[in-house]
Amino acid sequence: MPIRQRFDRLLLGSAILLTAIGLAILASASWLLATERYGRPGSYFFTWQAATAMVGLGLMVVSMHLRTTLLSDRRLVLGALAVGWALLLAAFAQAEVAATHRWISIGGISLQPSVLVRLGLIMLMAILLDEARRGGWPWRKLALIGGITFTTILVIVVEPDLGTAALLAVVLGAMAFVAGMPLRLMAAPAAVAAVVLVLAIITSPYRLARVQAFFDPESGAAASWQSYQSLVAIGSGGFLGLGYGSGLQKLFFLPEPHTDFIFAITGEELGLVGLIVLLGLAGIIVWRGFVISARLEDPQRALLAFGITAAFAIQSLIHMVVCLDLLPPKGIPLPLVSYGKTEMLVTLVSIGILLNLSREVKA
């Protein structure tokens, strides 16, 4: 059968449409926040996000046309990941932002290194897991995979950014499972991850309060405030919503309406219809990504496509279920919708890689 020469047009169209809709939602969610909390023009967040989206779309096109051999070039991937690690550590040398070391400022522009590292680590693990599979899972290769993964996740936990660390651990665990790693070899890393998660929660008063409030809202009313207001926003939207720009929860009831709870703001202003549109477009991206992964003949590239798609799917799911109060509040943005310059760039580059790989799918 011939190799398909065209990119996956459904994936491309869904990504562009979700980005455009996300910009419109962000403009409404962030306008008052920008003027009243940050003393900026109302269009501040929208302008930055739109500019970032334009750059990201350009990088997506570049990623679409890269030689696929570059995606599996160990030296190139390691070099890119090394830059991410350097930025990750450099963030600790700068002043805290919101009591964390998650961001680094370069030339007045802030970056979130953990997001850059996420893509680099997925690309490296696709290479290493495929090599380990072909070699019969040798202990030296497993030690290398475990050491790189554990060290990176531990640094992200220390930032602290437990949400990103947990997301990365789940994605890499899923990649290992799909690659065929025996379950007995996954047991120890899974146990270590569970212990780290529990320790990270019980040693942090605000995390522990959020978990306790999730299971017993009445015992921690302050900690459950965000979840309650998120449900109020979604519930008050009904089927068609209150109208674009007419939401009330962004008036400082929800603390981060443009990032952590933008799904809830969508539900309030655009109703169930708006939520279904977001869910549908994200679902198409996930569907096409998994189809590409399943149909690629090269195991390494199939694993890369799976890892990128799994990261997008799990991140989107976590954001949505947090807004629906099905998980304790955690700062996980909704890809292509929530404000976040680094997140926007990395997500569009990741989709560009998927589109690149889609050309290798048999027609």
Side-chain angles (χ1 to χ4, degrees):
M1 297 178 67
I3 299 292
R4 189 221 301 251
Q5 296 300 315
R6 292 184 177 180
F7 305 104
D8 190 310
R9 288 175 290 183
L10 191 54
L11 172 60
L12 176 60
S14 298
I16 293 175
L17 185 56
L18 183 58
T19 301
I21 293 175
L23 287 172
I25 296 171
L26 175 67
S28 174
S30 64
W31 199 275
L32 186 65
L33 188 75
T35 58
E36 298 299 323
R37 181 183 294 179
Y38 296 101
R40 304 279 190 172
S43 60
Y44 176 78
F45 290 108
F46 169 79
T47 301
W48 269 109
Q49 189 82 337
T52 304
M54 294 303 295
V55 174
L57 289 170
L59 292 176
M60 182 181 74
V61 172
V62 172
S63 302
M64 289 166 59
H65 293 88
L66 287 175
R67 284 183 297 158
T68 51
T69 53
L70 295 177
L71 301 177
S72 56
D73 188 314
R74 181 198 292 263
R75 291 175 298 178
L76 185 61
V77 173
L78 272 174
L81 186 57
V83 172
W85 281 330
L87 293 174
L88 198 64
L89 295 175
F92 288 91
Q94 294 195 351
E96 291 185 347
V97 178
T100 70
H101 292 284
R102 299 181 190 179
W103 292 274
I104 183 172
S105 180
I106 300 177
I109 298 177
S110 63
L111 298 173
Q112 191 172 358
S114 60
V115 178
L116 299 172
V117 169
R118 184 183 69 208
L119 177 58
L121 198 55
I122 288 173
M123 295 179 70
L124 180 61
M125 286 302 122
I127 296 172
L128 296 181
L129 286 170
D130 183 59
E131 291 176 352
R133 178 190 60 82
R134 288 187 280 108
W137 306 104
W139 69 268
R140 289 185 179 179
K141 186 70 71 174
L142 291 174
L144 176 63
I145 293 172
I148 292 174
T149 300
F150 180 77
T151 302
T152 304
I153 290 177
L154 185 61
V155 173
I156 295 174
V157 169
V158 173
E159 283 186 328
D161 188 357
L162 186 58
T164 298
L167 171 65
L168 193 53
V170 172
V171 171
L172 296 180
M175 290 178 67
F177 177 78
V178 170
M181 182 181 289
L183 293 180
R184 68 179 187 279
L185 298 178
M186 298 179 63
V192 171
V195 170
V196 170
L197 176 64
V198 172
L199 288 176
I201 292 174
I202 64 177
T203 57
S204 173
Y206 81 91
R207 288 185 187 136
L208 185 59
R210 285 183 174 183
V211 172
Q212 290 174 335
F214 173 73
F215 289 105
D216 186 7
E218 294 183 359
S219 68
S224 62
W225 171 260
Q226 297 179 45
S227 299
Y228 174 76
Q229 295 301 327
S230 179
L231 290 178
V232 169
I234 295 173
S236 63
F239 186 70
L240 295 176
L242 302 179
Y244 179 76
S246 301
L248 300 177
Q249 295 303 309
K250 64 188 178 186
L251 305 180
F252 308 108
F253 292 100
L254 277 173
E256 302 295 339
H258 63 316
T259 54
D260 301 350
F261 290 95
I262 201 164
F263 188 72
I265 298 300
T266 304
E268 182 182 25
E269 297 192 353
L270 304 180
L272 180 61
V273 172
L275 297 182
I276 290 175
V277 169
L278 290 187
L279 183 61
L281 289 172
I284 292 173
I285 293 173
V286 172
W287 165 50
R288 297 313 302 167
F290 283 139
V291 166
I292 292 167
S293 174
R295 293 181 179 177
L296 282 167
E297 293 187 348
D298 184 283
Q300 187 179 119
R301 293 172 185 172
L303 195 56
L304 173 58
F306 174 84
I308 289 174
T309 306
F312 184 94
I314 295 171
Q315 183 176 342
S316 300
L317 181 63
I318 291 175
H319 178 96
M320 293 176 184
V321 299
V322 164
C323 289
L324 292 169
D325 195 25
L326 298 177
L327 278 178
K330 194 67 201 93
I332 298 292
L334 184 59
L336 301 180
V337 181
S338 293
Y339 178 75
K341 297 184 290 293
T342 313
E343 187 70 47
M344 175 67 77
L345 290 175
V346 170
T347 301
L348 288 173
V349 168
S350 300
I351 291 174
I353 293 174
L354 276 179
L355 289 164
N356 192 326
L357 294 173
S358 71
R359 294 185 302 170
E360 297 189 1
V361 172
K362 294 292 185 179

